[in-house]
Amino acid sequence: MVTTATASATVHAPDALMLVGGRWVAARSGATFPSVDPATGAIVGEAPAGEGADATLAVDAAHEAFASWSRTTVHERAALLRRVAAILGGREGMLAELITAEQGKPLGEARNELRFCCHLLEWYAEEGRRAYGQWIPDPLADRRLLTMRRPVGVAAAITPWNVPASMVVRKAAPAIAAGCTVVVKPAEQTPLVALAVARAFDDAGTPPGVLNVVTGGPEPIGAALLADVRVRKLTFTGSTEVGRALLRASADTVKRVSLELGGNAPFVVFDDADLDAAVAGLRAAKFRNGGQTCVSANRVFVHHDVAAQLGARLRALAWELRVGDGRAPETEIGPLVDRRAVEKVAAAVEDAVARGARVLTGGSALTEPPYDAGSFFAPTVLAGVHSEMRLVQEEIFGPVAPLIAFDDAREVLEAANATPYGLTAYVYTRDLRRALRMAEELDVGMVGINDTRVSAAEAPFGGTKQSGLGREGGREGLDEFLETRLVALGLGEPL
Ligand code: ADP
C-alpha cells in the first residue's frame, strides 16, 4: 500500500433542491442533510431531507405524467435519452469530481461510471424501439390473437451509493424508454450525484413528472412509495436484507419487483490458469471501487499447486496499490464510503484472524495522517481462510482478498455454490471443457471466464438465489418495465 497526496478540488454541488414534478423543490419540512466526503470528512453539500409526504407528491407527479408519457412515440423517448447522454457526456469532468467527492472512488473510475451511463442511455434509446409484440397463430378461424408491450406504470427506483450515477441511469433509462415514469430514492450517502443526474435529465427537456428524485430518509420514503397503489413497479439495488423487506412490503399491492442484491462471488484459479491474467482480474474484481461492488470477488479459491505463488503476487499487488484521496491522479484506491463501512470490514477481518487466518498484507483501518479525517482501509490479503469465517459467508464490501486453497474441481464447485447468494463467479483456467462445465454448474447469474468484466449496457446483469430477481441491462432490462397485453380480435364471417 502506497500513500498518495491529498488533492484539493472544488466541486460545484447542486443546490439543496430535488426534482419533483418538473420543479426543483426543497423538502416540505425545509430540512436538509449533509453529504460527507469520505476522504476528508468535509461536507460536500446539503440535500433535501424528504419524507413520506414528499414521496407521495413525487408519485402524484409521476402518475399524472404517465398518462401522456406512455403515449409518446418511441422516437420521442429515444431522442430524450440521447440528449441526456450528450449532456452527461459534456459534464463528465464536473460530475466525475462530484462522484469522487461524495463516494470516494478515484476520478478515473468515476469517469468510467459516467461513460457507462452514456452507454446505457444510448442502448435504451435504441432498445425502446424494439419492444415488439407478437401475432400468435390462432386455433379459431374467426379470431386473431396478438400481443402488445405496454409500460408497467409508475416505477419506484431505490438506488445504492457504490455506483451512484449509473445505478440511477440503469433503472431510469429502460423505464423511460418503455414509457414508464420514475420516482428515484437515492442512497443517503450520495444524494448529490443523483440530483446532478436528474439535472441532466431536466436540462435535456424531460417532461415534468417523468423523472423525479426524492432524497432523504429511506424508511419513510420507502414506506410511502411501497404503500402507494399507483406505484406499479419497484426496482431496487442494495443489500439482501433491505431487498427482502422491500419485497415483503411490495406484496400488499402486488407490485412488479426487480432486485439486485448482495453477492458473494467466488474467484476460482485453477492450476493451469494464466496467473498474470488472474492477478489482473483480481486487481479489478477485488480492488476496484475499494471492493465495494456486489460483483467484487469475495472468496478467492486457488488450487494448492499455485496457492503460494498467487498469494505472493497478490500480496505484492495489494502492497503497491496507491491509497488516497480519489482526486489525486495517482490514487488507485480511495476511501470506503463511510466510517461504518470501515468498522464492518475491520470486524470481518478480525473475526477471520481470530479463527486462524494469516494477514499477508494490510489487515486494518488506516488511521494515521493523511488518512485520519477519512474512512480508509488498507488493501488486505488473507491466507489460510476457511468456511467458518464470516468474510466467507458474508459480503465483505471492502479491499480484502481472502485466499482459500482447494484440490479438485468438484470440491471447489461445491464450496463456491455453498452460499445463499448467486450473483457472479469468476473462473480462471486454460481448459475450455472445465471452464464451460463450471459455467454450467455455478449457480449464479453471471460467470466471468478469464475475465471479470460482466457488466455491459447490452448484457443482462442480475443474480440467482438471494442475489435478486430480474435483470438489468440488455433486452431483459427493458422487459422489466413492460407488461404483455393480449388482444383477442373477433373477425366474424369471412369476407
Ligand atoms: P447498503 O447497506 O449497501 O447501504 P442498503 O440496502 O442499506 O445498502 O441501501 C440501498 C438503498 O436502499 C439505499 O438507497 C438506502 O437508502 C435504501 N434503503 C435502506 N433501507 C431502506 C428501507 N427500509 N426502505 C427503503 N429504502 C431503504
Side-chain angles (χ1 to χ4, degrees):
M1 185 207 86
V2 179
T3 301
T4 64
T6 304
S8 63
T10 320
V11 170
H12 302 286
D15 317 332
L17 299 176
M18 55 193 182
L19 183 62
V20 175
R23 292 173 49 230
W24 288 92
V25 298
R28 278 174 43 125
S29 67
T32 63
F33 67 98
S35 163
V36 177
D37 182 332
T40 62
I43 291 178
V44 184
E46 293 281 331
E51 291 172 15
D54 300 280
T56 300
L57 285 176
V59 177
D60 292 345
H63 183 66
E64 194 186 329
F66 181 73
S68 51
W69 186 247
S70 58
R71 291 185 174 87
T72 51
T73 67
V74 287
H75 276 229
E76 286 171 67
R77 295 179 209 158
L80 172 69
L81 294 176
R82 282 200 202 93
R83 289 197 300 275
V84 179
I87 290 173
L88 280 182
R91 294 178 188 172
E92 187 185 294
M94 188 275 277
L95 289 177
E97 285 199 4
L98 183 58
I99 291 175
T100 297
E102 215 176 27
Q103 193 265 347
K105 70 182 59 170
L107 270 179
E109 289 183 26
R111 282 185 180 271
N112 286 341
E113 183 181 338
L114 288 161
R115 285 178 202 144
F116 186 45
C117 290
C118 295
H119 294 159
L120 286 162
L121 288 157
E122 282 153 11
W123 165 262
Y124 282 112
E126 286 303 316
E127 200 56 14
R129 300 165 73 182
R130 288 185 275 275
Y132 303 133
Q134 281 186 300
W135 191 287
I136 299 167
D138 199 311
L140 302 177
D142 63 345
R143 184 186 66 182
R144 296 293 177 268
L145 295 176
L146 37 141
T147 61
M148 59 173 90
R149 309 302 308 280
R150 303 291 305 164
V152 173
V154 175
I158 300 182
T159 60
W161 48 263
N162 60 342
V163 261
S166 67
M167 283 296 121
V168 172
V169 172
R170 193 149 76 166
K171 296 175 188 318
I176 288 173
C180 295
T181 56
V182 189
V183 178
V184 180
K185 204 298 290 167
E188 50 276 32
Q189 294 90 339
T190 53
L192 302 183
V193 171
L195 292 171
V197 170
R199 185 151 289 197
F201 273 86
D202 193 31
D203 292 346
T206 303
V210 171
L211 179 84
N212 309 272
V213 177
V214 181
T215 56
E219 284 84 9
I221 295 173
L225 292 174
L226 293 177
D228 199 314
V229 73
R230 298 169 299 171
V231 173
R232 300 277 291 269
K233 164 88 195 176
L234 166 70
T235 170
F236 169 77
T237 299
S239 61
T240 295
E241 188 192 349
V242 172
R244 220 181 262 126
L246 299 182
L247 180 60
R248 243 181 246 125
S250 299
D252 285 341
T253 51
V254 194
K255 298 190 198 309
R256 286 270 300 270
V257 178
S258 308
L259 303 173
E260 298 289 350
L261 308 178
N264 185 352
F267 189 109
V268 183
V269 183
F270 282 100
D271 48 350
D272 67 340
D274 174 345
L275 286 190
D276 291 340
V279 171
L282 278 166
R283 182 193 177 97
K286 183 66 257 182
F287 294 111
R288 192 173 38 221
N289 204 3
Q292 300 173 107
T293 82
C294 50
V295 294
S296 293
N298 211 60
R299 297 169 291 158
V300 184
F301 292 102
V302 54
H303 191 278
H304 263 123
D305 291 353
V306 290
Q309 209 183 335
L310 188 83
R313 294 195 52 180
L314 202 53
R315 176 182 178 276
L317 166 75
W319 176 251
E320 283 162 17
L321 281 173
R322 285 171 292 193
V323 180
D325 188 312
R327 281 158 290 219
E330 62 276 20
T331 293
E332 293 166 304
I333 292 204
L336 298 190
V337 70
D338 53 25
R339 290 261 165 90
R340 201 169 55 102
V342 172
E343 282 160 22
K344 213 168 148 247
V345 174
V349 170
E350 278 159 28
D351 168 80
V353 170
R355 292 173 196 266
R358 279 176 291 118
V359 178
L360 300 188
T361 183
S364 56
L366 297 169
T367 50
E368 300 294 316
Y371 301 117
D372 48 335
S375 42
F376 291 91
F377 198 90
T380 297
V381 181
L382 301 176
V385 171
H386 57 75
S387 60
E388 312 286 274
M389 299 173 182
R390 257 177 44 200
L391 47 55
V392 171
Q393 291 160 14
E394 295 169 11
E395 198 171 31
I396 302 168
F397 243 61
V400 178
L403 297 176
I404 308 166
F406 73 90
D407 282 314
D408 74 70
R410 179 53 45 191
E411 170 200 342
V412 77
L413 179 64
E414 280 167 18
N417 280 337
T419 163
Y421 298 102
L423 193 57
T424 326
Y426 306 99
V427 179
Y428 279 71
T429 176
R430 287 189 170 101
D431 182 335
L432 179 61
R433 291 169 304 176
R434 183 154 64 186
L436 260 181
R437 287 202 183 280
M438 289 291 286
E440 284 181 0
E441 296 205 30
L442 284 160
D443 190 353
V444 292
M446 297 167 285
V447 183
I449 296 174
N450 301 323
D451 204 314
T452 59
R453 296 164 297 175
V454 294
S455 189
E458 296 81 357
F461 182 106
T464 61
K465 297 194 269 181
Q466 294 178 36
S467 285
L469 296 173
R471 294 292 180 268
E472 290 189 320
R475 185 168 25 109
E476 292 86 345
L478 186 71
D479 287 342
E480 300 285 338
F481 295 93
L482 292 167
E483 296 279 14
T484 298
R485 180 175 301 164
L486 172 71
V487 179
L489 179 68
L491 293 186
E493 295 299 314
L495 295 176

